[in-house]
Amino acid sequence: MPRGKAGTGRPRPIFKGLNIALSGTFHGQWTDTNISRWVNLRAGTFSWRMSEDVTHLVCTKEEFDKKGPRIKEALARAYKKDKKCYLVSLDWLEDSIHETKRLREDEFSHVATLKALKNKARLEKKIAKGVEEEDRAVNQNLYRVYFDPTDFFEYNITLARDDEEMGITGERYVVKLYESNALPHLYHVGVRYYKSKKDTMPKLYRLTETPGDFQREYGSFKRFFEIKVGYPWDERLVRGVGSLGAKFFFYQPPTGGKPVGWIPQEYIPKEPTAPCEAEDNANLESMTIAQPALILNSGVTHEEEPTTSSQEGSQAQTHQNDQSQHLDESQYTESPHTPQHDRQETPEATTEDTPPTETVDATGEDTTVTIMPVVDSET
């Protein structure tokens, strides 16, 4: 057995300053009497009773599990800096004596062993829960959130609800429509439920057991939305946020020009028309109806003037010359108030298109007269 100083015949004082007590029954040579003698030989103090002076309680696993009075008192001081008490196994005492030095208590601590067992159990439970959640959630290594090709809207929405009377704050669903990375694309809807604002461990589940085509999963997405919010997904932009009361969840569409996803034409909100713009449209419409599409440059108004056969030659020649002059000068112009799609052109008028009219003069003889066309630029 290793000795202390040369010539003293005493073991090294490895337990100096320590006060050691026992709890439980040990077998073989490890009796209370022998342990007391071996501790005292190494400058330690052995206590037959539990007190605040005890620094180490050597106990069996059975006694530690029973949590008797001595164990409870030692546990109460196990994490204190002052008056700290270690709960160690008999192996700590035996190995320290054989190696003639005080070994670290953490390697023999019942508390450390219990903590390790709890951590192991907690890890196993976490792994089991992760496997269970993986069965209910969508594997994000194989799927990504689906983007609407019309405006690249991300199908990742939040449905929230606050009910002050029931003490509910921050209750929400996070709903995602996933698309597979592989081709052909498969789709799946995954949901996360948070019971409150402080909830950091949401419940995960899928709306369907297996992935499917887009129409099926998109339909599941819209049905879940309507059940929780109270109105169809297509009406999300024309409904007021939280308009159905605390019974339903509410959805806030993106604002500020952000993508909102595809919406049927009948559910797209119409932008209000400014008063001045509406008045201009009304004036434009009235002027379009009131004015003809084409006008003549000439400002002269011709009245119907019946002519006899004796005057027909000179008048017809004069009208033909006048008309030729107007046609050469590009006599037709478009009215600035006529919309482009309503503009029309009037066919050219000539004396050859005017049908002759037969009249009877005072002498009773048949006389052919020509009716001149009426041209009015002020109409």
Side-chain angles (χ1 to χ4, degrees), residues 297-308:
N297 287 332
S298 175
V300 179
T301 302
H302 302 276
E303 299 178 355
E304 288 190 6
E305 194 174 301
T307 59
T308 63

Side-chain angles (χ1 to χ4, degrees), residues 7-81:
T8 60
R10 296 180 60 86
R12 291 180 181 176
I14 59 176
F15 296 143
K16 185 177 181 180
L18 304 184
N19 193 315
I20 301 174
L22 303 178
S23 178
T25 302
F26 302 98
H27 303 284
Q29 61 180 345
W30 297 96
T31 62
D32 294 356
T33 303
N34 288 338
I35 293 175
S36 173
R37 182 167 56 87
W38 293 333
V39 168
N40 291 330
L41 284 175
R42 290 161 179 80
T45 302
F46 182 83
S47 295
W48 295 91
R49 294 180 181 181
M50 189 65 186
S51 65
E52 292 184 356
D53 296 331
V54 173
T55 59
H56 292 71
L57 179 63
V58 179
C59 63
T60 61
K61 178 68 168 54
E62 294 76 17
E63 286 294 317
F64 181 82
D65 293 339
K66 289 179 181 179
K67 299 294 187 296
R70 289 191 176 189
I71 304 300
K72 289 182 179 180
E73 183 177 349
L75 285 173
R77 297 191 285 121
Y79 300 99
K80 291 183 178 181
K81 292 183 179 181

